């Protein structure tokens, strides 16, 4: 179990460092140019989140299952694919990995251009948010619907592509990463895309009081979406009894 928890922490660290780091460092580069001709923009950030899942899944999926997300862990438990007794340890490891990732971004920012770190923090540190904190000005209702719906879709796809008999273990990480990319392409303008409480917490702790005040939305509703997906999959799509949890807990090969 210790090895699995370390793998979960490393995988979440990679996911948050790659995704949030891209959003803060590369999305609007150069920083003093309004046109940002070299910045990767929303598409680059979406790809960064998806790519980190792909490489993390191939690297550490065989060890821990490659959840890297509390909503996925709870969704898998609700579906019968993961033991409930192990969820707390996984979630703690994921939260630690995410916080370490944003702390490393802060450390890089300390040695960055003058004012870069304070500007990133004043801008919310790529935190999730609604109303004034939404990139597109979307309200609380939009954030709630998006987080429940998109997290549920994400977990349903994970459960489908990792099915022990119908799934394809070699291609599952790629399908999961592309799904996360699509989710970000849809929802970055809505609330900066969470679908992952560990990612949201990791950014909000450096984003200031306003992102922290809205953090509850991006903890509660991704989890709601993950649980719904797990229960729906188990009730409607899992036509055979779930194999033992130890054999099916993983999201990747």
């Amino acid at each position: 179990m210790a090895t699995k928890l370390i793998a979960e922490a490393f995988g979440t660290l990679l996911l948050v460092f790659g995704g949030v780091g891209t959003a803060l460092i590369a999305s609007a580069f150069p920083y003093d140019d309004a046109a940002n001709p070299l910045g990767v923009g929303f598409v680059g950030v979406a790809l960064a989140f998806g790519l980190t899942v792909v490489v993390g899944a191939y690297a550490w999926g065989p060890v821990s299952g490659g959840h890297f997300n509390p909503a996925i862990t709870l969704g898998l438990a609700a579906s019968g694919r993961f033991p409930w007794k192990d969820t707390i340890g996984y979630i703690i490891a994921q939260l630690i990995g995410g916080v370490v990732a944003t702390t490393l971004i802060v450390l890089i920012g300390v040695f960055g251009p003058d004012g870069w770190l304070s500007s990133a923090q004043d801008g919310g540190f790529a935190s999730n948010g609604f109303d004034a904190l939404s990139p597109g000005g979307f309200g609380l209702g939009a954030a709630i619907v998006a987080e429940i719906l998109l997290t549920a879709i994400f977990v349903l796809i994970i459960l489908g592509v990792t099915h022990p008999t119908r799934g394809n273990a070699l291609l599952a990480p790629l399908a999961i990463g592309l799904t996360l990319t699509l989710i970000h392409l849809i929802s970055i303008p809505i609330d900066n895309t969470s679908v992952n409480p560990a990612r949201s917490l990791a950014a909000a702790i450096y984003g200031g009081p306003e992102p922290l005040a809205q953090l509850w939305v991006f903890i509660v509703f991704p989890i709601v979406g993950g649980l719904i997906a797990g229960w729906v999959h188990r009730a409607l799509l899992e036509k055979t009894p779930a194999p033992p949890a130890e054999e099916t807990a993983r999201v990747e090969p």
Side-chain angles (χ1 to χ4, degrees), residues 195-249:
V195 302
N196 186 339
R199 171 263 190 269
S200 296
L201 173 66
I205 61 173
Y206 291 110
E210 292 182 343
L212 282 171
Q214 296 187 359
L215 177 61
W216 65 275
V217 173
F218 305 102
I219 293 176
V220 172
F221 294 105
I223 289 174
V224 170
L227 290 173
I228 290 172
W231 290 324
V232 167
H233 182 87
R234 190 169 190 174
L236 301 180
L237 299 174
E238 198 74 64
K239 298 301 184 182
T240 58
E246 290 76 11
E247 297 179 13
T248 58

Side-chain angles (χ1 to χ4, degrees), residues 70-82 84 148-160 162-163 221-240 242:
I72 291 175
T73 297
L74 293 172
L76 291 174
S79 74
R81 298 273 195 95
F82 189 76
W84 283 103
I148 293 175
L149 176 62
L150 294 175
T151 308
I153 290 171
F154 192 31
V155 173
L156 281 170
I157 289 174
I158 289 169
L159 288 166
T162 60
H163 189 276
F221 294 105
I223 289 174
V224 170
L227 290 173
I228 290 172
W231 290 324
V232 167
H233 182 87
R234 190 169 190 174
L236 301 180
L237 299 174
E238 198 74 64
K239 298 301 184 182
T240 58

Side-chain angles (χ1 to χ4, degrees), residues 23-219:
L24 290 172
I25 298 170
S27 66
F29 182 83
Y31 313 116
D32 58 352
D33 189 330
N36 300 314
L38 303 180
V40 298
F42 281 178
V43 174
V45 173
L47 284 171
F49 275 102
L51 289 172
T52 56
V53 167
V54 172
V55 297
Y58 280 121
W60 296 301
V63 179
S64 68
H67 303 183
F68 313 149
N69 180 340
I72 291 175
T73 297
L74 293 172
L76 291 174
S79 74
R81 298 273 195 95
F82 189 76
W84 283 103
K85 65 181 179 64
D86 293 338
T87 57
I88 298 300
Y90 264 53
I91 290 171
I92 291 172
Q94 292 156 0
L95 296 177
I96 291 172
V99 171
V100 170
T102 49
T103 302
L104 290 174
I105 295 172
V106 169
L107 181 61
I108 291 171
V110 169
F111 300 99
D114 290 342
W116 182 89
L117 181 58
S118 60
S119 176
Q121 292 177 312
D122 291 344
F125 212 77
S127 298
N128 303 112
F130 53 88
D131 290 336
L133 301 186
S134 162
F138 289 82
L140 173 60
I144 290 173
V145 172
E147 291 302 322
I148 293 175
L149 176 62
L150 294 175
T151 308
I153 290 171
F154 192 31
V155 173
L156 281 170
I157 289 174
I158 289 169
L159 288 166
V161 299
T162 60
H163 189 276
T165 59
R166 298 191 297 267
N168 186 319
L170 292 177
L171 296 179
L174 182 59
I176 293 166
L178 288 173
T179 301
L180 188 59
T181 299
L182 174 62
I183 286 170
H184 278 78
L185 290 173
I186 295 168
S187 61
I188 285 177
I190 298 173
D191 59 11
N192 234 7
T193 311
S194 172
V195 302
N196 186 339
R199 171 263 190 269
S200 296
L201 173 66
I205 61 173
Y206 291 110
E210 292 182 343
L212 282 171
Q214 296 187 359
L215 177 61
W216 65 275
V217 173
F218 305 102
I219 293 176

